[in-house]
Amino acid sequence: MTVFRLATLRTAEDFADWYRIGADYVARVAEGMAFDCGRFHEEAAAGVDAMRANRTDVEPSVARSIAATLLADAAFCDPFCEWLPLWYELALAGPNALAEHRLTRISRTYASALPHVTVPQYSTPGDVLVEGRPALSHVSGFVERFVLADAILHLEWFASVARESGIEVPPELLARTREESVAYYTGRRESLSPDVRRFQALLFADDEWVGKINRAYELDSALFDVWEGILRRARTDLETTASD
């Protein structure tokens, strides 16, 4: 694993592709669900161009999208690892801290002129109960825990970043997606509603996000390959179910 290469990333230009890949993911999910994207495409493109030029003098809406995306990524790793075995959490403590520091520092250069930028309050295992017991008590094995965690946390990531980027996501769909997904991935529900299944299939396209980051930053990370494989299987399972 060579994610310590991230230690060499220090400028907005260095993170332009990071934001671009995140913005592409947001657009893919939003368009797949027919959400109103407003001016997101133009603003995201302007944000990427500004970052590549190491400029921070962008419209407030552009600055908000950049800051929200990078801050959501920075805050993601630690709560995600809480859903996984302790050995895994400890092994990634160093890389997680490094990524969080770098992403937060760049995001602040864009957030400094804004009154407020929301950072997702990611769920931890103690926050999610199923039949009065922690959700993790209903699953076993690394992959099941990984998929359950991602089904919850990537929904929270998207809800926050989309909102800060001016994309309207129906609150009722968010609430129902969380409820059904927790039940489904803990074996308490046999299937997802069609719109929830479509939403989660699009969200599990974060397998492509992982692969693009791995390639764009030449991390050559075997761990990223593992993550990508797990997420791709989760996505294709939902896509296959939808076509049955």
mmCIF file of all heavy atoms in Angstrom, residues 27-69:
data_model
loop_
_atom_site.group_PDB
_atom_site.id
_atom_site.type_symbol
_atom_site.label_atom_id
_atom_site.label_comp_id
_atom_site.label_asym_id
_atom_site.label_seq_id
_atom_site.Cartn_x
_atom_site.Cartn_y
_atom_site.Cartn_z
ATOM 1 N N ALA A 27 -22.526 13.779 -9.733
ATOM 2 C CA ALA A 27 -23.343 13.973 -10.931
ATOM 3 C C ALA A 27 -23.955 12.660 -11.404
ATOM 4 O O ALA A 27 -25.128 12.613 -11.808
ATOM 5 C CB ALA A 27 -22.495 14.593 -12.037
ATOM 6 N N ARG A 28 -23.175 11.591 -11.357
ATOM 7 C CA ARG A 28 -23.680 10.289 -11.815
ATOM 8 C C ARG A 28 -24.869 9.838 -10.968
ATOM 9 O O ARG A 28 -25.888 9.390 -11.506
ATOM 10 C CB ARG A 28 -22.574 9.244 -11.747
ATOM 11 C CG ARG A 28 -23.049 7.829 -12.045
ATOM 12 C CD ARG A 28 -21.915 6.844 -12.116
ATOM 13 N NE ARG A 28 -22.374 5.477 -12.321
ATOM 14 C CZ ARG A 28 -21.594 4.467 -12.623
ATOM 15 N NH1 ARG A 28 -20.292 4.657 -12.761
ATOM 16 N NH2 ARG A 28 -22.088 3.242 -12.797
ATOM 17 N N VAL A 29 -24.750 9.969 -9.662
ATOM 18 C CA VAL A 29 -25.846 9.548 -8.785
ATOM 19 C C VAL A 29 -27.062 10.445 -8.990
ATOM 20 O O VAL A 29 -28.195 9.960 -9.143
ATOM 21 C CB VAL A 29 -25.399 9.575 -7.310
ATOM 22 C CG1 VAL A 29 -26.582 9.237 -6.394
ATOM 23 C CG2 VAL A 29 -24.255 8.585 -7.070
ATOM 24 N N ALA A 30 -26.832 11.756 -9.003
ATOM 25 C CA ALA A 30 -27.942 12.703 -9.118
ATOM 26 C C ALA A 30 -28.682 12.528 -10.439
ATOM 27 O O ALA A 30 -29.920 12.516 -10.479
ATOM 28 C CB ALA A 30 -27.419 14.127 -8.985
ATOM 29 N N GLU A 31 -27.943 12.395 -11.526
ATOM 30 C CA GLU A 31 -28.588 12.234 -12.827
ATOM 31 C C GLU A 31 -29.304 10.886 -12.923
ATOM 32 O O GLU A 31 -30.382 10.790 -13.518
ATOM 33 C CB GLU A 31 -27.557 12.369 -13.931
ATOM 34 C CG GLU A 31 -27.044 13.795 -14.086
ATOM 35 C CD GLU A 31 -25.931 13.910 -15.105
ATOM 36 O OE1 GLU A 31 -25.367 12.858 -15.505
ATOM 37 O OE2 GLU A 31 -25.613 15.043 -15.494
ATOM 38 N N GLY A 32 -28.712 9.856 -12.328
ATOM 39 C CA GLY A 32 -29.349 8.551 -12.349
ATOM 40 C C GLY A 32 -30.673 8.531 -11.619
ATOM 41 O O GLY A 32 -31.568 7.739 -11.951
ATOM 42 N N MET A 33 -30.812 9.410 -10.628
ATOM 43 C CA MET A 33 -32.055 9.506 -9.866
ATOM 44 C C MET A 33 -32.939 10.650 -10.347
ATOM 45 O O MET A 33 -33.991 10.909 -9.763
ATOM 46 C CB MET A 33 -31.733 9.701 -8.377
ATOM 47 C CG MET A 33 -31.046 8.511 -7.737
ATOM 48 S SD MET A 33 -31.997 6.976 -7.862
ATOM 49 C CE MET A 33 -33.442 7.360 -6.870
ATOM 50 N N ALA A 34 -32.518 11.350 -11.397
ATOM 51 C CA ALA A 34 -33.274 12.470 -11.962
ATOM 52 C C ALA A 34 -33.483 13.595 -10.951
ATOM 53 O O ALA A 34 -34.527 14.261 -10.959
ATOM 54 C CB ALA A 34 -34.608 11.988 -12.525
ATOM 55 N N PHE A 35 -32.495 13.817 -10.082
ATOM 56 C CA PHE A 35 -32.552 14.956 -9.176
ATOM 57 C C PHE A 35 -32.229 16.237 -9.954
ATOM 58 O O PHE A 35 -31.487 16.204 -10.942
ATOM 59 C CB PHE A 35 -31.548 14.805 -8.031
ATOM 60 C CG PHE A 35 -31.759 13.614 -7.146
ATOM 61 C CD1 PHE A 35 -30.674 12.984 -6.537
ATOM 62 C CD2 PHE A 35 -33.028 13.119 -6.901
ATOM 63 C CE1 PHE A 35 -30.853 11.876 -5.705
ATOM 64 C CE2 PHE A 35 -33.222 12.014 -6.067
ATOM 65 C CZ PHE A 35 -32.126 11.389 -5.480
ATOM 66 N N ASP A 36 -32.750 17.337 -9.487
ATOM 67 C CA ASP A 36 -32.468 18.629 -10.107
ATOM 68 C C ASP A 36 -31.041 19.053 -9.755
ATOM 69 O O ASP A 36 -30.747 19.345 -8.601
ATOM 70 C CB ASP A 36 -33.470 19.672 -9.615
ATOM 71 C CG ASP A 36 -33.283 21.028 -10.281
ATOM 72 O OD1 ASP A 36 -32.384 21.163 -11.141
ATOM 73 O OD2 ASP A 36 -34.022 21.964 -9.925
ATOM 74 N N CYS A 37 -30.167 19.085 -10.759
ATOM 75 C CA CYS A 37 -28.756 19.420 -10.519
ATOM 76 C C CYS A 37 -28.464 20.907 -10.641
ATOM 77 O O CYS A 37 -27.327 21.331 -10.347
ATOM 78 C CB CYS A 37 -27.867 18.648 -11.501
ATOM 79 S SG CYS A 37 -27.877 16.870 -11.228
ATOM 80 N N GLY A 38 -29.441 21.701 -11.105
ATOM 81 C CA GLY A 38 -29.196 23.129 -11.236
ATOM 82 C C GLY A 38 -27.978 23.419 -12.100
ATOM 83 O O GLY A 38 -27.832 22.884 -13.202
ATOM 84 N N ARG A 39 -27.055 24.227 -11.574
ATOM 85 C CA ARG A 39 -25.840 24.611 -12.309
ATOM 86 C C ARG A 39 -24.632 23.774 -11.886
ATOM 87 O O ARG A 39 -23.496 24.180 -12.076
ATOM 88 C CB ARG A 39 -25.540 26.099 -12.064
ATOM 89 C CG ARG A 39 -26.607 27.053 -12.592
ATOM 90 C CD ARG A 39 -26.221 28.508 -12.343
ATOM 91 N NE ARG A 39 -24.950 28.835 -12.977
ATOM 92 C CZ ARG A 39 -23.877 29.300 -12.315
ATOM 93 N NH1 ARG A 39 -23.926 29.444 -10.984
ATOM 94 N NH2 ARG A 39 -22.760 29.582 -12.960
ATOM 95 N N PHE A 40 -24.888 22.611 -11.325
ATOM 96 C CA PHE A 40 -23.782 21.847 -10.736
ATOM 97 C C PHE A 40 -22.687 21.530 -11.742
ATOM 98 O O PHE A 40 -21.503 21.640 -11.428
ATOM 99 C CB PHE A 40 -24.298 20.554 -10.100
ATOM 100 C CG PHE A 40 -23.196 19.704 -9.527
ATOM 101 C CD1 PHE A 40 -22.520 20.095 -8.386
ATOM 102 C CD2 PHE A 40 -22.809 18.523 -10.147
ATOM 103 C CE1 PHE A 40 -21.486 19.333 -7.860
ATOM 104 C CE2 PHE A 40 -21.784 17.744 -9.620
ATOM 105 C CZ PHE A 40 -21.123 18.156 -8.479
ATOM 106 N N HIS A 41 -23.045 21.121 -12.941
ATOM 107 C CA HIS A 41 -22.024 20.746 -13.928
ATOM 108 C C HIS A 41 -21.094 21.909 -14.224
ATOM 109 O O HIS A 41 -19.864 21.749 -14.225
ATOM 110 C CB HIS A 41 -22.687 20.251 -15.212
ATOM 111 C CG HIS A 41 -23.238 18.870 -15.117
ATOM 112 N ND1 HIS A 41 -22.439 17.749 -15.113
ATOM 113 C CD2 HIS A 41 -24.518 18.428 -15.006
ATOM 114 C CE1 HIS A 41 -23.197 16.669 -15.010
ATOM 115 N NE2 HIS A 41 -24.458 17.054 -14.943
ATOM 116 N N GLU A 42 -21.680 23.080 -14.490
ATOM 117 C CA GLU A 42 -20.854 24.251 -14.791
ATOM 118 C C GLU A 42 -19.999 24.651 -13.595
ATOM 119 O O GLU A 42 -18.811 24.998 -13.748
ATOM 120 C CB GLU A 42 -21.734 25.429 -15.210
ATOM 121 C CG GLU A 42 -22.641 25.148 -16.400
ATOM 122 C CD GLU A 42 -24.036 24.710 -15.983
ATOM 123 O OE1 GLU A 42 -24.140 23.670 -15.322
ATOM 124 O OE2 GLU A 42 -24.996 25.423 -16.314
ATOM 125 N N GLU A 43 -20.586 24.612 -12.413
ATOM 126 C CA GLU A 43 -19.849 25.023 -11.219
ATOM 127 C C GLU A 43 -18.734 24.033 -10.885
ATOM 128 O O GLU A 43 -17.637 24.441 -10.473
ATOM 129 C CB GLU A 43 -20.815 25.192 -10.049
ATOM 130 C CG GLU A 43 -21.761 26.371 -10.247
ATOM 131 C CD GLU A 43 -22.767 26.521 -9.137
ATOM 132 O OE1 GLU A 43 -22.993 25.545 -8.382
ATOM 133 O OE2 GLU A 43 -23.349 27.608 -9.014
ATOM 134 N N ALA A 44 -18.995 22.747 -11.055
ATOM 135 C CA ALA A 44 -17.959 21.755 -10.791
ATOM 136 C C ALA A 44 -16.799 21.926 -11.765
ATOM 137 O O ALA A 44 -15.624 21.847 -11.378
ATOM 138 C CB ALA A 44 -18.536 20.346 -10.891
ATOM 139 N N ALA A 45 -17.113 22.159 -13.042
ATOM 140 C CA ALA A 45 -16.061 22.373 -14.033
ATOM 141 C C ALA A 45 -15.251 23.621 -13.688
ATOM 142 O O ALA A 45 -14.006 23.620 -13.804
ATOM 143 C CB ALA A 45 -16.671 22.512 -15.430
ATOM 144 N N ALA A 46 -15.929 24.678 -13.254
ATOM 145 C CA ALA A 46 -15.219 25.898 -12.852
ATOM 146 C C ALA A 46 -14.334 25.630 -11.642
ATOM 147 O O ALA A 46 -13.221 26.174 -11.538
ATOM 148 C CB ALA A 46 -16.223 27.005 -12.539
ATOM 149 N N GLY A 47 -14.820 24.794 -10.729
ATOM 150 C CA GLY A 47 -14.027 24.457 -9.553
ATOM 151 C C GLY A 47 -12.770 23.689 -9.904
ATOM 152 O O GLY A 47 -11.683 23.972 -9.369
ATOM 153 N N VAL A 48 -12.890 22.722 -10.802
ATOM 154 C CA VAL A 48 -11.715 21.949 -11.227
ATOM 155 C C VAL A 48 -10.700 22.854 -11.906
ATOM 156 O O VAL A 48 -9.498 22.788 -11.626
ATOM 157 C CB VAL A 48 -12.144 20.805 -12.172
ATOM 158 C CG1 VAL A 48 -10.912 20.118 -12.764
ATOM 159 C CG2 VAL A 48 -13.005 19.791 -11.433
ATOM 160 N N ASP A 49 -11.172 23.732 -12.786
ATOM 161 C CA ASP A 49 -10.259 24.650 -13.483
ATOM 162 C C ASP A 49 -9.535 25.554 -12.489
ATOM 163 O O ASP A 49 -8.324 25.796 -12.619
ATOM 164 C CB ASP A 49 -11.037 25.509 -14.483
ATOM 165 C CG ASP A 49 -11.514 24.712 -15.694
ATOM 166 O OD1 ASP A 49 -11.008 23.597 -15.914
ATOM 167 O OD2 ASP A 49 -12.404 25.216 -16.406
ATOM 168 N N ALA A 50 -10.274 26.058 -11.502
ATOM 169 C CA ALA A 50 -9.666 26.944 -10.505
ATOM 170 C C ALA A 50 -8.621 26.201 -9.688
ATOM 171 O O ALA A 50 -7.527 26.731 -9.432
ATOM 172 C CB ALA A 50 -10.749 27.512 -9.589
ATOM 173 N N MET A 51 -8.929 24.987 -9.284
ATOM 174 C CA MET A 51 -7.970 24.220 -8.491
ATOM 175 C C MET A 51 -6.717 23.915 -9.300
ATOM 176 O O MET A 51 -5.596 23.991 -8.777
ATOM 177 C CB MET A 51 -8.621 22.934 -7.978
ATOM 178 C CG MET A 51 -9.736 23.163 -6.977
ATOM 179 S SD MET A 51 -10.416 21.626 -6.295
ATOM 180 C CE MET A 51 -9.109 21.161 -5.153
ATOM 181 N N ARG A 52 -6.886 23.588 -10.561
ATOM 182 C CA ARG A 52 -5.716 23.292 -11.396
ATOM 183 C C ARG A 52 -4.821 24.512 -11.566
ATOM 184 O O ARG A 52 -3.619 24.377 -11.814
ATOM 185 C CB ARG A 52 -6.170 22.759 -12.749
ATOM 186 C CG ARG A 52 -6.660 21.315 -12.667
ATOM 187 C CD ARG A 52 -7.152 20.793 -13.998
ATOM 188 N NE ARG A 52 -7.446 19.354 -13.895
ATOM 189 C CZ ARG A 52 -8.237 18.689 -14.714
ATOM 190 N NH1 ARG A 52 -8.832 19.325 -15.725
ATOM 191 N NH2 ARG A 52 -8.446 17.398 -14.555
ATOM 192 N N ALA A 53 -5.420 25.691 -11.430
ATOM 193 C CA ALA A 53 -4.641 26.931 -11.517
ATOM 194 C C ALA A 53 -4.243 27.448 -10.134
ATOM 195 O O ALA A 53 -3.714 28.561 -10.022
ATOM 196 C CB ALA A 53 -5.453 27.997 -12.254
ATOM 197 N N ASN A 54 -4.503 26.647 -9.087
ATOM 198 C CA ASN A 54 -4.219 27.050 -7.699
ATOM 199 C C ASN A 54 -4.914 28.357 -7.328
ATOM 200 O O ASN A 54 -4.370 29.185 -6.594
ATOM 201 C CB ASN A 54 -2.709 27.169 -7.463
ATOM 202 C CG ASN A 54 -2.075 25.834 -7.142
ATOM 203 O OD1 ASN A 54 -2.659 25.020 -6.421
ATOM 204 N ND2 ASN A 54 -0.896 25.591 -7.687
ATOM 205 N N ARG A 55 -6.144 28.533 -7.838
ATOM 206 C CA ARG A 55 -6.913 29.732 -7.537
ATOM 207 C C ARG A 55 -8.003 29.415 -6.521
ATOM 208 O O ARG A 55 -8.631 28.362 -6.585
ATOM 209 C CB ARG A 55 -7.577 30.288 -8.811
ATOM 210 C CG ARG A 55 -6.629 30.927 -9.803
ATOM 211 C CD ARG A 55 -7.387 31.392 -11.051
ATOM 212 N NE ARG A 55 -8.765 31.770 -10.771
ATOM 213 C CZ ARG A 55 -9.840 31.157 -11.297
ATOM 214 N NH1 ARG A 55 -9.673 30.133 -12.130
ATOM 215 N NH2 ARG A 55 -11.052 31.571 -10.989
ATOM 216 N N THR A 56 -8.225 30.351 -5.619
ATOM 217 C CA THR A 56 -9.320 30.208 -4.655
ATOM 218 C C THR A 56 -10.381 31.279 -4.850
ATOM 219 O O THR A 56 -11.375 31.296 -4.128
ATOM 220 C CB THR A 56 -8.793 30.283 -3.217
ATOM 221 O OG1 THR A 56 -8.117 31.529 -3.028
ATOM 222 C CG2 THR A 56 -7.827 29.131 -2.923
ATOM 223 N N ASP A 57 -10.173 32.169 -5.829
ATOM 224 C CA ASP A 57 -11.124 33.254 -6.077
ATOM 225 C C ASP A 57 -12.247 32.751 -6.977
ATOM 226 O O ASP A 57 -12.305 33.050 -8.174
ATOM 227 C CB ASP A 57 -10.423 34.460 -6.711
ATOM 228 C CG ASP A 57 -9.704 34.106 -8.009
ATOM 229 O OD1 ASP A 57 -9.255 32.955 -8.139
ATOM 230 O OD2 ASP A 57 -9.611 34.975 -8.893
ATOM 231 N N VAL A 58 -13.134 31.980 -6.393
ATOM 232 C CA VAL A 58 -14.249 31.400 -7.132
ATOM 233 C C VAL A 58 -15.565 31.856 -6.519
ATOM 234 O O VAL A 58 -15.597 32.396 -5.406
ATOM 235 C CB VAL A 58 -14.178 29.851 -7.107
ATOM 236 C CG1 VAL A 58 -12.945 29.369 -7.839
ATOM 237 C CG2 VAL A 58 -14.192 29.332 -5.672
ATOM 238 N N GLU A 59 -16.652 31.654 -7.245
ATOM 239 C CA GLU A 59 -17.971 31.992 -6.721
ATOM 240 C C GLU A 59 -18.225 31.210 -5.426
ATOM 241 O O GLU A 59 -17.752 30.085 -5.266
ATOM 242 C CB GLU A 59 -19.060 31.643 -7.735
ATOM 243 C CG GLU A 59 -19.031 32.452 -9.010
ATOM 244 C CD GLU A 59 -20.168 32.059 -9.936
ATOM 245 O OE1 GLU A 59 -21.110 31.367 -9.471
ATOM 246 O OE2 GLU A 59 -20.104 32.422 -11.120
ATOM 247 N N PRO A 60 -18.990 31.812 -4.506
ATOM 248 C CA PRO A 60 -19.275 31.111 -3.246
ATOM 249 C C PRO A 60 -19.864 29.719 -3.431
ATOM 250 O O PRO A 60 -19.524 28.792 -2.692
ATOM 251 C CB PRO A 60 -20.267 32.047 -2.543
ATOM 252 C CG PRO A 60 -19.928 33.399 -3.080
ATOM 253 C CD PRO A 60 -19.539 33.179 -4.514
ATOM 254 N N SER A 61 -20.735 29.544 -4.424
ATOM 255 C CA SER A 61 -21.340 28.232 -4.633
ATOM 256 C C SER A 61 -20.300 27.214 -5.075
ATOM 257 O O SER A 61 -20.368 26.031 -4.705
ATOM 258 C CB SER A 61 -22.460 28.316 -5.669
ATOM 259 O OG SER A 61 -21.976 28.861 -6.894
ATOM 260 N N VAL A 62 -19.313 27.650 -5.851
ATOM 261 C CA VAL A 62 -18.234 26.767 -6.287
ATOM 262 C C VAL A 62 -17.338 26.422 -5.108
ATOM 263 O O VAL A 62 -16.968 25.260 -4.892
ATOM 264 C CB VAL A 62 -17.423 27.413 -7.423
ATOM 265 C CG1 VAL A 62 -16.223 26.548 -7.792
ATOM 266 C CG2 VAL A 62 -18.312 27.652 -8.640
ATOM 267 N N ALA A 63 -16.989 27.440 -4.327
ATOM 268 C CA ALA A 63 -16.153 27.212 -3.145
ATOM 269 C C ALA A 63 -16.831 26.261 -2.175
ATOM 270 O O ALA A 63 -16.186 25.377 -1.583
ATOM 271 C CB ALA A 63 -15.864 28.541 -2.455
ATOM 272 N N ARG A 64 -18.141 26.403 -2.042
ATOM 273 C CA ARG A 64 -18.887 25.532 -1.119
ATOM 274 C C ARG A 64 -18.849 24.079 -1.589
ATOM 275 O O ARG A 64 -18.678 23.164 -0.785
ATOM 276 C CB ARG A 64 -20.330 26.025 -0.991
ATOM 277 C CG ARG A 64 -21.195 25.211 -0.034
ATOM 278 C CD ARG A 64 -22.579 25.836 0.121
ATOM 279 N NE ARG A 64 -22.470 27.167 0.698
ATOM 280 C CZ ARG A 64 -22.321 27.399 1.993
ATOM 281 N NH1 ARG A 64 -22.265 26.376 2.845
ATOM 282 N NH2 ARG A 64 -22.237 28.621 2.453
ATOM 283 N N SER A 65 -19.018 23.862 -2.878
ATOM 284 C CA SER A 65 -18.991 22.498 -3.403
ATOM 285 C C SER A 65 -17.620 21.860 -3.198
ATOM 286 O O SER A 65 -17.521 20.698 -2.783
ATOM 287 C CB SER A 65 -19.349 22.510 -4.902
ATOM 288 O OG SER A 65 -19.284 21.212 -5.438
ATOM 289 N N ILE A 66 -16.565 22.608 -3.491
ATOM 290 C CA ILE A 66 -15.209 22.080 -3.300
ATOM 291 C C ILE A 66 -14.974 21.751 -1.836
ATOM 292 O O ILE A 66 -14.527 20.641 -1.489
ATOM 293 C CB ILE A 66 -14.155 23.087 -3.791
ATOM 294 C CG1 ILE A 66 -14.252 23.285 -5.306
ATOM 295 C CG2 ILE A 66 -12.747 22.612 -3.411
ATOM 296 C CD1 ILE A 66 -13.400 24.430 -5.831
ATOM 297 N N ALA A 67 -15.258 22.718 -0.969
ATOM 298 C CA ALA A 67 -14.998 22.525 0.456
ATOM 299 C C ALA A 67 -15.818 21.375 1.016
ATOM 300 O O ALA A 67 -15.312 20.544 1.782
ATOM 301 C CB ALA A 67 -15.294 23.812 1.218
ATOM 302 N N ALA A 68 -17.089 21.301 0.630
ATOM 303 C CA ALA A 68 -17.961 20.248 1.159
ATOM 304 C C ALA A 68 -17.483 18.873 0.728
ATOM 305 O O ALA A 68 -17.493 17.921 1.524
ATOM 306 C CB ALA A 68 -19.397 20.474 0.685
ATOM 307 N N THR A 69 -17.055 18.743 -0.519
ATOM 308 C CA THR A 69 -16.594 17.457 -1.027
ATOM 309 C C THR A 69 -15.337 17.000 -0.298
ATOM 310 O O THR A 69 -15.242 15.852 0.167
ATOM 311 C CB THR A 69 -16.314 17.547 -2.540
ATOM 312 O OG1 THR A 69 -17.518 17.940 -3.207
ATOM 313 C CG2 THR A 69 -15.848 16.203 -3.090
#
